Amino acid sequence: MKLQGAGNQTAGDKSVRALLNNYERGLPLVLLVDHKYTHFPYDLRGSNISYAVLGLYFIAHAWAEREIVGGKNVIRYKFAFHWIDNADPWWWEKDNSMDVAMATGSSDELVYPSEDGGLPRRTPEKDRVEPLSKRRPSRDTSLYSSCRQCGIDSPQVFAIGWTCLNATCVAFWTHAGTSPPEECVYNTQFLQLLPFPNNLREELKDIRPSEPMTAPRDGITTIKSFTRGFHCQNCGRLSCRFKWQQWECSNCGQTLQVQGKMRPANELRNIHSGIALKEYVNPFSGIRRLPRRTFSDKNISGEIDTFELPDGSGNIYHVKTPAMRLAPLDEIFLEYQKQADRGELLFRRWPLRSVR
Ligand SMILES: [Zn+2]
Ligand SMILES: [Zn+2]
């Protein structure tokens, strides 16, 4: 992984700090990729998949490099991720352009530079932190050497020779009195896979999300935990809860039925949010309020406010009736819940990003 941000990174940047913490404490982490990661051999976008889980990795080495970004010299923190199964990762293709059996990456919250040249957001430095060498767990001593200037150990990352990789040292990123070339070949010893410590293996947790609760005792299925996605135990795919009546796997169609109770309108009428509700349409939202209409038939009468959503994507109707004429509406509310529960009324949820 090769990742870039706008300016210098420091060990105190939020994303760098988080990864250094994993490195220091020997904590494995889960790597995710999206379609921008060029070394992943499968077409995620073509399969309509946003992210793929690469599994559990530990950080074998952490170091800093100097890079030229947009004509500027900037400091980048780099991390070597090794798969905890002590082998090439399952998704790694041998004929890859990088002939290394590991994934390396800098931080920036593991966001890859976007194809349109946009830069990932960065977080300003807040805390002072220890230099790299003071923070690390055990390491291969033949790979690491101490710097004469700062006394801090750095690994020999490149075949060209050892250089101090402590970004705060005067000798940082110098080899034979000058900067290493922009394109360097990796040191083969540095590329060797390190074993994941067996004693830590016992502490590894199953990262697969547990099955959501489908039938709560109180029957209330409109709370937040019911809006989350689920992990399909049949095929492994993670899916959003995009259907009202059930969880459904976007890949194999496996379903988990939601079993809730119908909520009578009275039950909700007595809930007070403590917030005074009033209608307000932000002029920048693109939502248009249409003139108020009135309606009436033999059972009921009232007013309708219509809000037209931008790009012809639909309308929101707010139907108002006198408080003493609510009974027919309460029946509609109940009927609507029944139909939604049976899947006759098609309610769908989509992540905002995919709404056009
Ligand atoms: Zn140094
Ligand atoms: Zn599935």
Side-chain angles (χ1 to χ4, degrees):
M1 293 169 225
K2 193 136 184 168
L3 318 163
Q4 291 177 347
N8 276 339
Q9 285 182 328
T10 75
D13 286 358
K14 201 168 137 195
S15 52
V16 176
R17 197 170 61 213
L19 288 171
L20 286 176
N21 182 50
N22 281 63
Y23 172 58
E24 185 182 11
R25 297 173 58 193
L27 293 175
L29 67 159
V30 175
L31 291 184
L32 306 178
V33 287
D34 65 10
H35 67 275
K36 291 173 193 156
Y37 182 51
T38 51
H39 297 294
F40 195 63
Y42 304 103
D43 177 16
L44 292 178
R45 194 175 241 180
S47 313
N48 204 21
I49 292 172
S50 306
Y51 299 97
V53 182
L54 295 185
L56 279 161
Y57 295 75
F58 69 101
I59 298 175
H61 307 285
W63 70 101
E65 289 183 16
R66 198 186 288 288
E67 278 183 5
I68 297 171
V69 176
K72 267 172 56 187
N73 260 321
V74 293
I75 291 165
R76 287 277 170 273
Y77 278 81
K78 305 281 172 165
F79 299 90
F81 300 103
H82 289 197
W83 196 29
I84 59 156
D85 277 22
N86 302 335
D88 288 342
W90 57 273
W91 49 272
W92 192 263
E93 284 194 326
K94 271 290 185 193
D95 58 351
N96 227 299
S97 58
M98 278 167 78
D99 59 346
V100 287
M102 63 170 190
T104 61
S106 69
S107 54
D108 279 330
E109 298 172 39
L110 297 183
V111 174
Y112 312 102
S114 57
E115 277 155 3
D116 58 10
L119 294 167
R121 72 195 154 85
R122 302 192 65 252
T123 320
E125 177 190 8
K126 289 204 182 63
D127 305 333
R128 277 193 65 76
V129 289
E130 300 258 9
L132 276 183
S133 70
K134 299 226 176 99
R135 311 163 56 92
R136 66 171 51 96
S138 64
R139 55 180 177 258
D140 180 353
T141 48
S142 64
L143 183 66
Y144 281 77
S145 302
S146 283
C147 172
R148 283 186 201 167
Q149 291 287 342
C150 65
I152 285 171
D153 292 353
S154 294
Q156 187 192 328
V157 177
F158 301 108
I160 189 173
W162 184 90
T163 162
C164 176
L165 300 175
N166 164 28
T168 59
C169 175
V170 288
F172 170 64
W173 204 243
T174 51
H175 176 69
T178 176
S179 292
E182 247 183 87
E183 296 288 324
C184 287
V185 177
Y186 282 107
N187 172 15
T188 46
Q189 190 191 350
F190 172 77
L191 295 180
Q192 273 168 19
L193 291 176
L194 300 185
F196 182 67
N198 274 333
N199 57 329
L200 290 177
R201 195 171 290 279
E202 287 157 20
E203 292 176 26
L204 288 178
K205 296 191 180 98
D206 190 343
I207 58 170
R208 289 170 296 187
S210 53
E211 199 165 85
M213 185 197 283
T214 53
R217 216 177 298 161
D218 61 6
I220 295 172
T221 57
T222 46
I223 54 177
K224 201 173 174 188
S225 57
F226 284 86
T227 65
R228 296 196 177 118
F230 94 119
H231 169 251
C232 175
Q233 296 189 351
N234 187 38
C235 75
R237 169 80 187 247
L238 295 161
S239 301
C240 296
R241 163 96 188 267
F242 63 95
K243 286 192 175 176
W244 178 266
Q245 72 273 25
Q246 63 198 18
W247 277 275
E248 187 172 306
C249 175
S250 304
N251 179 43
C252 74
Q254 175 101 330
T255 60
L256 274 181
Q257 212 71 34
V258 177
Q259 292 160 33
K261 65 168 187 180
M262 300 297 119
R263 314 271 316 258
N266 263 337
E267 205 176 281
L268 305 176
R269 206 167 278 139
N270 297 323
I271 295 174
H272 297 289
S273 64
I275 301 163
L277 294 174
K278 60 177 184 184
E279 290 168 2
Y280 169 72
V281 178
N282 188 320
F284 301 108
S285 65
I287 298 173
R288 206 160 66 94
R289 184 186 190 133
L290 303 185
R292 180 172 288 173
R293 291 179 293 146
T294 57
F295 72 95
S296 112
D297 69 13
K298 57 184 185 323
N299 283 327
I300 196 156
S301 63
E303 294 170 333
I304 305 176
D305 279 329
T306 307
F307 301 90
E308 199 178 65
L309 300 175
D311 305 323
S313 49
N315 295 322
I316 296 172
Y317 298 100
H318 186 185
V319 181
K320 302 171 191 176
T321 61
M324 63 283 230
R325 311 286 295 274
L326 290 176
L329 297 182
D330 290 353
E331 270 171 46
I332 293 172
F333 180 61
L334 213 54
E335 189 54 33
Y336 127 84
Q337 289 180 77
K338 285 179 192 161
Q339 290 190 15
D341 196 50
R342 292 192 295 256
E344 291 163 19
L345 200 56
L346 296 180
F347 281 129
R348 296 287 178 268
R349 298 173 64 234
W350 303 110
L352 268 181
R353 205 165 55 117
S354 68
V355 176
R356 304 253 178 248

